[in-house]
Amino acid sequence: MNAFLNAVGETPLSQLLQNVRWLIPLIQSTHILALSLVFVSAVVVDLRILGVAGRNQTLPSLTARFLPWVGWGVLVLLATGLLLMVAEPRRALLNPFFQLKMAALVVVGLMTWTIATRATDRGWSESEGRGLAKTMAVSSLVLWLAIIALGRWIAYGP
Amino acid sequence: MAVPTLFKALQASPLGSTISQSTWMFPTIETVHVVAVATVIGTIAMVDLRLLGVSAKARPASALIHEFLPWTWGAFALALVSGGLLFSSRAADYMALPYFVAKFGIMAVAAVFLFKVPPTTEKHIAGWDLGKPATGARVAGALSLLLWTAIVICGRRVGFSL
């Protein structure tokens, strides 16, 4: 692991990212902009499932409109996140906040996938599937907040 | 009291020194700030992208503005409060940073957009509520997106400057 982290840190890409001072803040800014779209889009769908917002629109119409933002946004987040990881492999990979963040991301990804595929089923989120749908919506909200919080706390990790 | 003295006093105040001396307060408030900023930018981007005619073209722009704007304002208030607390911890140091000053200059313009664009849009929206946005609306949407992008870039640079 140690050798691997050192090897990543010595690649030309990592060196470039470490030595050009404005690159990291710019990549982080892109990360934040993509995160904003992902977060708000996911929250819109979650709040609709919970019946808090958007009740004048159907769930499938909202998932069709907003989940593509989550999908494409997460791709931008993975790309920019990967660059940040290459720039400082030790700061990221050995950091418990980073590890938890990735675990939360996998779980929320699977849940969003489920919401995306089940939303068009008649009945899901309306009658028999309602309890499960609401549980997923609440978990998704909590996990996205946790992902943002853990992301910020990487900077303060041990 | 001269202005720099005022910022030094804020930094030395019980509020400012409590935040700067605590290990967990600054990162915790920062986390709230990031969530608030993400909500402001995500919601305003949805409105701007509609004004640009990029997304949600089947949805009346007026309905979209009514749905998203209250969240933008609520989150903006939270961002100001959390940002104010972060500022109090090192007020004089922040004021010496060009990126910090630039961030607030740009934000003043963005706030004018937040106040002016929705009512102006609604006044002229009858002609295009469900169709291709008017030129003015598209220009406003594009400028707003650029302003908020610049605010994020400046804000992130501030984090690297202290």
Side-chain angles (χ1 to χ4, degrees):
Chain A
M1 188 67 177
N2 244 329
F4 171 72
L5 294 175
N6 288 337
V8 172
E10 269 153 35
T11 55
L13 178 60
S14 183
Q15 290 295 318
L16 176 75
L17 292 166
Q18 289 171 47
N19 294 330
V20 184
R21 276 180 38 170
W22 51 268
L23 272 174
I24 296 286
L26 195 68
I27 296 167
Q28 287 183 347
S29 301
T30 313
H31 201 72
I32 294 175
L33 290 171
L35 159 84
S36 306
L37 288 174
V38 169
F39 177 64
V40 164
S41 302
V43 168
V44 166
V45 171
D46 292 336
L47 291 182
R48 174 64 185 83
I49 293 175
L50 292 172
V52 174
R55 271 176 296 190
N56 56 354
Q57 293 158 83
T58 65
L59 180 61
S61 75
L62 288 179
T63 53
R65 250 176 72 198
F66 287 97
L67 290 187
W69 289 108
V70 176
W72 291 108
V74 166
L75 278 184
V76 175
L77 288 172
L78 289 176
T80 48
L82 193 66
L83 286 173
L84 296 170
M85 227 163 69
V86 169
E88 294 176 285
R90 295 186 160 277
R91 178 181 184 262
L93 292 165
L94 300 179
N95 194 314
F97 294 125
F98 173 81
Q99 294 160 356
L100 267 176
K101 178 181 172 179
M102 289 305 109
L105 183 66
V106 170
V107 177
V108 90
L110 290 172
M111 281 197 313
T112 309
W113 185 263
T114 311
I115 291 172
T117 48
R118 297 296 297 279
T120 45
D121 293 3
R122 278 189 164 274
W124 198 77
S125 87
E126 301 299 333
S127 50
E128 72 268 30
R130 202 184 166 116
L132 177 67
K134 291 203 168 184
T135 309
M136 281 214 220
V138 172
S139 316
S140 163
L141 284 174
V142 172
L143 282 169
W144 281 116
L145 288 171
I147 286 168
I148 295 176
L150 289 164
R152 188 67 295 240
W153 279 76
I154 289 172
Y156 300 92
Chain B
M1 209 189 305
V3 170
T5 322
L6 187 74
F7 293 126
K8 278 188 184 137
L10 176 59
Q11 190 166 331
S13 71
L15 178 73
S17 56
T18 306
I19 295 171
S20 61
Q21 277 158 31
S22 154
T23 49
W24 60 270
M25 283 176 112
F26 193 91
T28 305
I29 303 166
E30 236 184 340
T31 303
V32 174
H33 193 62
V34 175
V35 171
V37 168
T39 310
V40 169
I41 293 183
T43 54
I44 202 66
M46 291 301 168
V47 173
D48 291 339
L49 290 167
R50 178 66 184 85
L51 293 181
L52 273 170
V54 170
S55 66
K57 276 174 282 192
R59 184 102 188 119
S62 54
L64 205 117
I65 290 172
H66 281 290
E67 284 157 1
F68 278 111
L69 221 56
W71 295 90
T72 312
W73 278 114
F76 191 61
L78 184 61
L80 283 182
V81 172
S82 52
L85 290 173
L86 295 174
F87 176 67
S88 76
S89 72
R90 297 180 75 169
D93 301 342
Y94 281 125
M95 288 308 291
L97 298 175
Y99 278 113
F100 186 84
V101 178
K103 178 179 172 180
F104 282 86
I106 302 168
M107 206 185 307
V109 183
V112 172
F113 269 66
L114 272 184
F115 273 111
K116 286 281 176 197
V117 171
T120 313
T121 305
E122 287 187 61
K123 206 182 294 172
H124 304 286
I125 212 166
W128 61 271
D129 202 9
L130 262 173
K132 192 178 168 197
T135 309
R138 277 184 283 157
V139 171
L143 285 177
S144 169
L145 278 179
L146 283 177
L147 289 168
W148 286 106
T149 303
I151 289 168
V152 170
I153 291 173
C154 289
R156 201 68 288 262
R157 286 305 291 253
V158 167
F160 276 80
S161 308
L162 278 188

